[in-house]
Amino acid sequence: MTSRNGHEPRPNGTTAILAGVVGLVLAGLLGYLPLKFFVDYGFAGMDGKVRGVLGIYSAAALVLLAGALTTFFRAVAGAVLLLVGGLLAVAAVICEPVLLYPGYFGDFFAAMFRFAPDDAFVRVGAAVGGPLVFVLAVLPWTFRYLRHRPAGSW
């Protein structure tokens, strides 16, 4: 849609910027848990399943960080990375009870939302923030803003 003077109006970037900010906060939150475990227990003293779960948390944090920074530079790849990062954040929370506490899936989430275990705020943040980042990044307004190039720009 063009205006009277033939220029395309600039799309609103609220959803893209909000997705980037929430993704950046979530990246810091998800990066805290693996860092704390690696500092407290060391890498060699951990079971392979624990390393795997912490690896998923770390991967989600890195993808969200890259996606947020790329989104701030108005690249469509940033929204795609935020989509993947949101899914990885949810996958990390779901994989933790499946791999580490088999048979206690419901008990894990009940304790998590009561903030009973240590660092439950990270898991609740991932369970809430991951879908939020995903939804904000998948909205058409986000992609419209990131794809928009004003006339005369490179």
Side-chain angles (χ1 to χ4, degrees):
M1 183 167 124
T2 58
S3 64
R4 291 182 183 165
N5 59 5
H7 295 290
E8 239 181 87
R10 182 177 179 184
N12 190 353
T14 305
T15 58
I17 294 167
L18 194 58
V21 169
V22 173
L24 193 61
V25 169
L26 190 57
L29 193 64
L30 291 175
Y32 165 77
L33 189 67
L35 185 64
K36 180 182 181 265
F37 271 86
F38 289 144
V39 168
D40 287 349
Y41 303 110
F43 190 73
M46 288 186 206
D47 182 32
K49 290 180 181 180
V50 174
R51 281 189 241 164
V53 169
L54 293 177
I56 297 171
Y57 276 105
S58 299
L62 290 175
V63 170
L64 283 167
L65 178 64
L69 294 177
T70 308
T71 300
F72 293 144
F73 288 110
R74 293 192 62 179
V76 176
V80 174
L81 286 171
L82 286 173
L83 288 167
V84 172
L87 292 175
L88 276 173
V90 173
V93 174
I94 291 173
C95 284
E96 186 173 359
V98 169
L99 292 175
L100 301 180
Y101 313 110
Y104 295 102
F105 195 78
D107 295 336
F108 174 82
F109 284 105
M112 181 182 86
F113 282 107
R114 280 193 315 257
F115 292 95
D118 292 341
D119 305 320
F121 67 93
V122 174
R123 294 164 181 100
V124 171
V128 173
L132 179 63
V133 168
F134 179 83
V135 168
L136 286 171
V138 81
L139 288 173
W141 304 291
T142 301
F143 282 98
R144 195 173 302 137
Y145 173 76
L146 295 176
R147 284 189 189 127
H148 178 72
R149 298 290 177 245
S153 70
W154 47 279

